[in-house]
Amino acid sequence: MTDKKKIRVELRRNRTKPPREKPWTRGFQAHGYEDEATKSDERVRAKGDLSRYRTITQDTATAPLEDGSADTMPATADAECRPGRVIRVHGLQSVIETADGTQVRCTVRRLLKSLITEERSIVTTGDRVWFRDAGNGEGMIERVEPRHGVLTRASRRREHVLVANVDQLVIVMSLVEPTLKPHLIDRYLASAQQGDLAPILFLNKVDLVEAAPLQPLIGGYSQLGIPTLLTSATTGEGIAQLRELLKDRATVFSGQSGVGKSSLLNALQPNLALRVSKISEVNQKGKHTTTTAELIRLEFGGWVVDTPGVRQLELWDTQPEIVEGFFPEIRAFVPLCSFPDCTHTHETGCAVKRAVNRRQISLRRYHSYLGMFSGDETRKSEE
Ligand code: GDP
Ligand code: ZN
């Protein structure tokens, strides 16, 4: 009595524009800066996009897979299927955790497996799945639920989903040792926006610096709607707020090495960082490149993921009109440029450059914009 429906499985999400409407730019949209014309254009799917999908048959009953409601069964013949969440992936094997904390090692159904050879991210950390439980600690993934927030990176020019179904990206920067790199913040913010993750900015090691001169920087990000906190893993400043922000959410921690991610994680929950670093080591040895990340359950509710290194957060897609979308305060001026395809680099009558000169857009943010854009130029010339 299985009710079947056809679903399309995305094979290759190549050069697809991310939607521009994102929570942290909402402030700007509320003030009427949103470019309505561009927005609706983006809903039109590019020609040939359909060919990137493959239709497979799937059971229609899709129970909501919230952590708490995980014992809802699909109304299908698959009575022995159970819901769970992928906490890590090793090649074709995944470790699934169910709502009661049981871990099951799963392979994937053959149909899904044939897709994996074409798309490495069919099953990834954070996925909510239905699996057939063999009862001996092993099982088989039968279905992967649609994803929301994802963190991706380009991998041989293909999108590689590092982790799925996460809510927010905690960007950890240190104020000193290593020194603060604002352009890096903007790159992480762009990644967050691309993956539909709410960004939170943590400026760590505040115990080592005078905080007052940081106010303009903090004010700038707060104005963009990004929660920005000063923290110290050493004195405990900001840790209570960190815990509050992480509770019951799935959070990716990212930032260069040495900024204090492990120290902050340990301040949250003893030995948390130890588990994280063990996983990172395996990743860096590099043989199992599909071992992406691990979801780690927080004692006070929620999950964290630590991603090693910055290079993994290279922007997946940096066409100029997309990069401009990462900078709401730049986007606000775009409709005023003389040329509709203005890249805001060399053009005359560019409203963005004019706004930079008038200090309506910060020079620092404009340089970040140029940096991401020239990344695109490099890529174009390779093609
Ligand atoms: P990770 O590589 O991002 O995980 O950084 P770690 O947590 O390993 O921290 C790197 C170094 O910075 C260590 O020596 C920490 O003791 C130190 N550290 C981390 N957080 C702070 C902080 O808030 N204040 C000070 N003074 N040192 C810190
Ligand atoms: Zn322009």
mmCIF file of all heavy atoms in Angstrom, residues 204-205 207-208 232-234 256-263, ligand 1:
data_model
loop_
_atom_site.group_PDB
_atom_site.id
_atom_site.type_symbol
_atom_site.label_atom_id
_atom_site.label_comp_id
_atom_site.label_asym_id
_atom_site.label_seq_id
_atom_site.Cartn_x
_atom_site.Cartn_y
_atom_site.Cartn_z
ATOM 1 N N ASN A 204 37.123 37.200 19.682
ATOM 2 C CA ASN A 204 37.668 36.543 20.881
ATOM 3 C C ASN A 204 39.001 37.171 21.317
ATOM 4 O O ASN A 204 39.612 37.924 20.569
ATOM 5 C CB ASN A 204 37.838 35.043 20.582
ATOM 6 C CG ASN A 204 38.101 34.237 21.826
ATOM 7 O OD1 ASN A 204 37.565 34.511 22.904
ATOM 8 N ND2 ASN A 204 38.973 33.231 21.700
ATOM 9 N N LYS A 205 39.408 36.800 22.527
ATOM 10 C CA LYS A 205 40.648 37.292 23.162
ATOM 11 C C LYS A 205 40.519 38.766 23.530
ATOM 12 O O LYS A 205 41.495 39.524 23.466
ATOM 13 C CB LYS A 205 41.886 37.041 22.282
ATOM 14 C CG LYS A 205 42.023 35.575 21.846
ATOM 15 C CD LYS A 205 43.390 35.212 21.362
ATOM 16 C CE LYS A 205 43.389 33.812 20.748
ATOM 17 N NZ LYS A 205 44.720 33.370 20.294
ATOM 18 N N ASP A 207 40.279 39.905 26.301
ATOM 19 C CA ASP A 207 41.096 40.185 27.499
ATOM 20 C C ASP A 207 42.460 40.771 27.138
ATOM 21 O O ASP A 207 43.126 41.362 27.984
ATOM 22 C CB ASP A 207 41.259 38.896 28.321
ATOM 23 C CG ASP A 207 41.837 37.752 27.523
ATOM 24 O OD1 ASP A 207 41.180 37.296 26.545
ATOM 25 O OD2 ASP A 207 42.946 37.294 27.812
ATOM 26 N N LEU A 208 42.878 40.604 25.904
ATOM 27 C CA LEU A 208 44.217 41.059 25.514
ATOM 28 C C LEU A 208 44.235 42.453 24.885
ATOM 29 O O LEU A 208 45.309 42.965 24.573
ATOM 30 C CB LEU A 208 44.850 40.062 24.530
ATOM 31 C CG LEU A 208 45.092 38.629 25.039
ATOM 32 C CD1 LEU A 208 45.699 37.772 23.936
ATOM 33 C CD2 LEU A 208 45.980 38.633 26.270
ATOM 34 N N SER A 232 35.941 36.129 25.647
ATOM 35 C CA SER A 232 37.246 35.682 26.099
ATOM 36 C C SER A 232 37.098 34.296 26.710
ATOM 37 O O SER A 232 36.376 34.124 27.691
ATOM 38 C CB SER A 232 37.820 36.641 27.139
ATOM 39 O OG SER A 232 38.944 36.029 27.754
ATOM 40 N N ALA A 233 37.766 33.331 26.096
ATOM 41 C CA ALA A 233 37.739 31.989 26.660
ATOM 42 C C ALA A 233 38.504 31.982 27.978
ATOM 43 O O ALA A 233 38.258 31.145 28.844
ATOM 44 C CB ALA A 233 38.357 30.998 25.669
ATOM 45 N N THR A 234 39.420 32.922 28.145
ATOM 46 C CA THR A 234 40.248 32.977 29.342
ATOM 47 C C THR A 234 39.465 33.522 30.546
ATOM 48 O O THR A 234 39.468 32.922 31.614
ATOM 49 C CB THR A 234 41.486 33.868 29.093
ATOM 50 O OG1 THR A 234 42.114 33.405 27.894
ATOM 51 C CG2 THR A 234 42.476 33.792 30.242
ATOM 52 N N GLN A 256 39.906 30.712 11.581
ATOM 53 C CA GLN A 256 41.294 30.264 11.410
ATOM 54 C C GLN A 256 41.774 29.516 12.638
ATOM 55 O O GLN A 256 41.255 29.723 13.731
ATOM 56 C CB GLN A 256 42.188 31.485 11.294
ATOM 57 C CG GLN A 256 42.172 32.177 9.995
ATOM 58 C CD GLN A 256 43.193 33.293 10.030
ATOM 59 O OE1 GLN A 256 43.084 34.205 10.826
ATOM 60 N NE2 GLN A 256 44.197 33.187 9.184
ATOM 61 N N SER A 257 42.828 28.758 12.477
ATOM 62 C CA SER A 257 43.357 28.076 13.647
ATOM 63 C C SER A 257 44.049 29.101 14.543
ATOM 64 O O SER A 257 44.590 30.109 14.078
ATOM 65 C CB SER A 257 44.278 26.931 13.226
ATOM 66 O OG SER A 257 45.589 27.365 13.167
ATOM 67 N N GLY A 258 43.931 28.871 15.842
ATOM 68 C CA GLY A 258 44.563 29.761 16.803
ATOM 69 C C GLY A 258 43.675 30.885 17.318
ATOM 70 O O GLY A 258 44.063 31.632 18.210
ATOM 71 N N VAL A 259 42.466 31.015 16.756
ATOM 72 C CA VAL A 259 41.600 32.109 17.185
ATOM 73 C C VAL A 259 40.888 31.817 18.508
ATOM 74 O O VAL A 259 40.379 32.728 19.161
ATOM 75 C CB VAL A 259 40.547 32.485 16.112
ATOM 76 C CG1 VAL A 259 41.222 33.038 14.873
ATOM 77 C CG2 VAL A 259 39.660 31.300 15.763
ATOM 78 N N GLY A 260 40.873 30.528 18.895
ATOM 79 C CA GLY A 260 40.274 30.171 20.184
ATOM 80 C C GLY A 260 39.002 29.347 20.097
ATOM 81 O O GLY A 260 38.243 29.278 21.059
ATOM 82 N N LYS A 261 38.767 28.691 18.960
ATOM 83 C CA LYS A 261 37.556 27.874 18.812
ATOM 84 C C LYS A 261 37.510 26.768 19.864
ATOM 85 O O LYS A 261 36.505 26.570 20.530
ATOM 86 C CB LYS A 261 37.482 27.253 17.410
ATOM 87 C CG LYS A 261 37.313 28.253 16.292
ATOM 88 C CD LYS A 261 37.149 27.576 14.946
ATOM 89 C CE LYS A 261 38.330 26.691 14.569
ATOM 90 N NZ LYS A 261 39.585 27.448 14.388
ATOM 91 N N SER A 262 38.638 26.040 19.984
ATOM 92 C CA SER A 262 38.670 24.927 20.944
ATOM 93 C C SER A 262 38.462 25.441 22.352
ATOM 94 O O SER A 262 37.711 24.847 23.134
ATOM 95 C CB SER A 262 40.011 24.192 20.886
ATOM 96 O OG SER A 262 40.380 23.983 19.562
ATOM 97 N N SER A 263 39.110 26.549 22.673
ATOM 98 C CA SER A 263 38.992 27.100 24.020
ATOM 99 C C SER A 263 37.550 27.510 24.307
ATOM 100 O O SER A 263 37.043 27.274 25.407
ATOM 101 C CB SER A 263 39.921 28.301 24.184
ATOM 102 O OG SER A 263 41.225 27.967 23.769
HETATM 103 P P1 GDP B 1 41.691 27.117 17.789
HETATM 104 O O1 GDP B 1 42.820 26.720 16.917
HETATM 105 O O2 GDP B 1 40.804 28.123 17.101
HETATM 106 O O3 GDP B 1 40.911 25.973 18.331
HETATM 107 O O4 GDP B 1 42.340 27.938 19.013
HETATM 108 P P2 GDP B 1 42.675 27.415 20.489
HETATM 109 O O5 GDP B 1 41.426 27.309 21.301
HETATM 110 O O6 GDP B 1 43.539 26.226 20.411
HETATM 111 O O7 GDP B 1 43.492 28.675 21.048
HETATM 112 C C1 GDP B 1 44.750 29.074 20.529
HETATM 113 C C2 GDP B 1 45.539 29.754 21.624
HETATM 114 O O8 GDP B 1 44.884 30.947 22.043
HETATM 115 C C3 GDP B 1 45.700 28.905 22.865
HETATM 116 O O9 GDP B 1 46.995 29.106 23.393
HETATM 117 C C4 GDP B 1 44.651 29.464 23.829
HETATM 118 O O10 GDP B 1 45.014 29.299 25.165
HETATM 119 C C5 GDP B 1 44.621 30.914 23.443
HETATM 120 N N1 GDP B 1 43.310 31.521 23.678
HETATM 121 C C6 GDP B 1 42.118 31.076 23.247
HETATM 122 N N2 GDP B 1 41.125 31.896 23.620
HETATM 123 C C7 GDP B 1 41.707 32.915 24.306
HETATM 124 C C8 GDP B 1 41.209 34.104 24.967
HETATM 125 O O11 GDP B 1 40.022 34.400 24.976
HETATM 126 N N3 GDP B 1 42.134 34.904 25.566
HETATM 127 C C9 GDP B 1 43.468 34.619 25.573
HETATM 128 N N4 GDP B 1 44.293 35.454 26.192
HETATM 129 N N5 GDP B 1 43.972 33.513 24.958
HETATM 130 C C10 GDP B 1 43.108 32.675 24.353
#
